[in-house]
Amino acid sequence: MKKSNILSAIEKAGSIMIAGHIRPDGDCVGSCMGTYHYIRARYPEKKVQVRLEDVPDSYRCIPDSDVICTEYPEEASCDLFIAVDVSDKNRLGKALPYFEKAGHTICIDHHISNEGFADENHIEPDASSAAEVLACLMDEEDINEKAAYALYLGMICDSGVFKYDSTSRRTMDTAGMLMEKGIPFTQIINEAFYEKTYLQNRLLGKCLMESVLSEDGTIISCMLSRSVMEEWGAANSDLEGIVSQMLLTKGTKASIFASENSDGSWKFSLRSGSDVDVAAVAAAFGGGGHIRAAGCTVKANAEAACRKMHYMIREQIHV
Ligand SMILES: [Mn+2]
């Protein structure tokens, strides 16, 4: 889809709704708000709404993030619906009825699995983030500081602060262009990516202290019981990032982190470096994900499941 078609669709629409996927991440929130600020600056007369299920606290720093509607009243509607960072229309969640009713729909995304569910689709599977795709579609002179802030946040979240394989020369050039808009880039990276609450940092420390190295130091694992989580007053969202930090232990090829849910089942998260496909391991337990980041839920015998995962990973390492 051509950039000119996107702009003419925006020009024709009186009201525009922007939405992302369920359980929005940084790229999703940043892409939605980047699009919002771009359209607001370029077409101030348009009615623009952003709808997302909720906004995690770490992305609330995006300018004017309070415009995001987290409610879905039946009467809301739009001429043009823009889906960003959404790989499949069912991932629109509660915004799906507005998509179905909209006069015209556009999807701008970077998921390889996206088959193009909107009237017009612009999908770049090699891009680091939907925010990168959007920034490259926009006219540079119409990207203001607020839009740049949101897009930069989206880019750092989906690229792991420019470290994942998907990071390209274009990613860095685009990020450089956004930096020149005057954004506080150090602060954005800290707030959106690295900052943790005191509780989260202490939990991370506890899990690292109790982690176990095995298979000649190639696998690191830790299991956190419900009773400890309750004692510490920890929620599942406080455990994010622990499994990735474990994998930064020198010599490890895979990390396994398990936490007990309130119903007694266990949530397993797996990460790996270059040699191990953890998606295959998670799939054996009914889960899924990506080659380097996957997860599954285990209903019973979590310790036996953890041993089996060790075995499966060891098999992959010793091919
Ligand atoms: Mn994304």
Side-chain angles (χ1 to χ4, degrees), residues 74-202:
E74 220 172 281
E75 64 277 11
S77 66
C78 61
D79 301 329
L80 173 66
F81 187 105
I82 305 178
V84 293
D85 198 33
V86 180
S87 58
D88 178 290
K89 74 174 183 183
N90 292 314
R91 304 246 317 141
L92 282 167
K94 292 183 207 149
L96 181 58
Y98 307 132
F99 172 86
E100 306 278 18
K101 276 191 294 183
H104 195 64
T105 59
I106 291 177
C107 172
I108 300 169
D109 186 33
H110 70 124
H111 290 94
I112 194 158
S113 58
N114 194 324
E115 290 174 357
F117 58 88
D119 295 331
E120 299 194 70
N121 302 280
H122 184 94
I123 300 148
E124 293 185 42
D126 293 332
S128 71
S129 50
E132 178 185 330
V133 177
L134 285 157
C136 291
L137 282 169
M138 293 172 181
D139 283 324
E140 198 179 315
E141 62 274 20
D142 287 327
I143 300 177
N144 62 20
E145 190 183 331
K146 289 179 177 180
Y149 189 118
L151 294 169
Y152 192 83
L153 184 146
M155 288 183 71
I156 59 146
C157 287
D158 254 25
S159 66
V161 193
F162 310 117
K163 84 171 187 180
Y164 300 150
D165 291 350
S166 57
T167 306
S168 67
R169 162 123 197 207
R170 188 183 76 162
T171 311
M172 306 309 286
D173 286 345
T174 307
M177 179 270 287
L178 297 174
M179 285 168 77
E180 285 182 347
K181 300 287 177 181
I183 55 170
F185 48 87
T186 307
Q187 181 195 323
I188 298 173
I189 292 173
N190 279 335
E191 282 188 31
F193 205 83
Y194 291 115
E195 210 167 77
K196 286 175 181 282
T197 63
Y198 183 53
L199 170 66
Q200 289 163 350
N201 259 335
R202 292 179 68 230

Side-chain angles (χ1 to χ4, degrees), residues 213-291:
L213 265 186
S214 51
E215 311 299 335
D216 292 331
T218 56
I219 305 177
I220 185 167
S221 60
C222 175
M223 295 181 74
L224 188 65
S225 71
R226 195 78 213 164
S227 59
V228 172
M229 285 181 67
E230 276 166 11
E231 185 193 323
W232 284 56
N236 279 326
S237 56
D238 292 319
L239 308 176
E240 237 169 79
I242 292 177
V243 70
S244 306
Q245 185 62 44
M246 286 164 60
L247 187 65
L248 288 173
T249 307
K250 201 169 177 74
T252 58
K253 292 180 185 282
S255 59
I256 305 171
F257 178 66
S259 57
E260 190 176 4
N261 295 317
S262 49
D263 65 358
S265 66
W266 287 73
K267 177 179 186 273
F268 277 80
S269 299
L270 299 110
R271 296 291 182 274
S272 68
S274 53
D275 299 327
V276 179
D277 174 1
V278 286
V281 178
F285 294 88
H290 306 282
I291 297 175

